[in-house]
Amino acid sequence: QVQLVESGGGLVQPGGSLRLSCAASGSISGINAMGWYRQAPGKERELVATITTGGGTNYADSVKGRFTISRDNAKNTVYLQMNSLKPEDTAVYYCNIRFYVSGYVYWGQGTQVAVSS
């Protein structure tokens, strides 16, 4: 069993920055990927960024050059540094972890990000 808890969301002005954190607890072992997804009102949940145990990353085209994903394996924590935020980034951001061998996926409860002046 794995639990994920996101933090760091809030209200920020366009062009501002936020840093999201997601701490995982429980049975964390083996090869896995942690990621951030987001869901805006009336839209489907979409991938933002993922990072593997070894540090390989993948980003949605809409956030490339603005967002940076990182992880601290010792703390089982993944981060999302969001710069140059746009109103279109407004959404609930969800953290997840996917285990490669078992295929199991766990999700956090989400943290709200609002970009508005």
Side-chain angles (χ1 to χ4, degrees), residues 32-82:
N32 63 75
M34 300 186 76
W36 290 96
Y37 295 71
R38 67 186 182 187
Q39 187 167 20
K43 299 186 67 177
E44 298 295 318
R45 187 174 299 184
E46 64 177 355
L47 180 146
V48 177
T50 61
I51 183 167
T52 66
T53 310
T57 58
N58 176 253
Y59 295 92
D61 288 341
S62 60
V63 306
K64 286 182 178 178
R66 300 189 298 120
F67 292 8
T68 302
I69 189 170
S70 61
R71 65 187 290 169
D72 185 334
N73 290 331
K75 297 181 178 180
N76 291 320
T77 300
V78 63
Y79 307 93
L80 185 69
Q81 179 66 47
M82 304 186 293

Side-chain angles (χ1 to χ4, degrees), residues 11-28:
L11 175 64
V12 65
Q13 295 182 336
S17 298
L18 283 174
R19 191 187 194 216
L20 306 182
S21 299
C22 174
S25 62
S27 299
I28 309 298

